[in-house]
Amino acid sequence: MFGMIEAEVFRILSDPTRRAVFERLVGQELSVSELKDSFAVSQPAISQHLAALRNAGLVEERREGRFAYYKANPNGLAPLVNWVDRYRSFWPEKVEKLKDVLKRMDR
Amino acid sequence: MFGMIEAEVFRILSDPTRRAVFERLVGQELSVSELKDSFAVSQPAISQHLAALRNAGLVEERREGRFAYYKANPNGLAPLVNWVDRYRSFWPEKVEKLKDVLKRMDR
DNA sequence: CAAACATATAAGCACATACTTATACGATAG
DNA sequence: CTATCGTATAAGTATGTGCTTATATGTTTG
């Protein structure tokens, strides 16, 4: 049941271009055309990636006239984050790094 | 340079069957035939997935006579773990859960 | 040695998917 | 109102990929 969602997030983020689109939208709202200028693909390709990301809950849309602004929804990463955390305990080497992440978050 | 490796790990783990094979091998060494019995695909399919996982550094092989034993190498998850951590700070809701993970690791 | 076994590789196929160009649709501008 | 602009959708295509069956390779057994 929940595995399905996790599979979806994995599938959507496995494409390098689409993943890059998501990364570009983290903490930054951009219109489709602004986004397009960052990539070597056509506008329709961008729109298609955005639709896929939106469907997976990884991106949110805000309409304003003829413009469409998109930003990442980090909550959409939840299935992936949970998956990684499940196996993190088998991966002891970089625990310190993770603790640093938490420290930085507390500030 | 490092992005390439991250892309590889994403690509390899995006297939549900292959991801399930990896999960099955976490903390447990299994031969190819033992592994095969857990899945609804043929033995060659399993071998192909194992070769892919091995190439990505996600799995390790140990040969013993005509048997081949595989186990997950959690270190291979490093690129994915790092990617997730990069965006975790934008995802504040489940920090408590993450702290629980660390607590469990300390024990 | 020959047969059975465990696994890997080869070849082919069916299907998914990421891209393109062309076009539709709605909104603003002149 | 018409043209232009921003975005989405449609249709077609090329490539990737996960699977299968068949076969090769190496190992143990009798």
Side-chain angles (χ1 to χ4, degrees), chain A residues 61-75:
Chain A
E61 188 196 28
R62 181 177 64 86
R63 288 220 150 258
E64 192 176 319
R66 51 182 166 174
F67 295 86
Y69 295 97
Y70 287 87
K71 64 175 177 183
N73 173 21
N75 268 315

Side-chain angles (χ1 to χ4, degrees), chain A residues 40 50 68 86:
Chain A
L50 287 169
R86 227 179 299 144

Side-chain angles (χ1 to χ4, degrees), chain A residues 32-33 43-44 47 66 68 70:
Chain A
V32 176
S33 10
Q43 172 266 313
S47 282
R66 51 182 166 174
Y70 287 87

Side-chain angles (χ1 to χ4, degrees), chain B residues 31-33 43-44 47 63 66 68 70:
Chain B
S31 72
V32 177
S33 11
Q43 172 266 314
S47 281
R63 287 216 150 263
R66 52 181 165 175
Y70 287 87

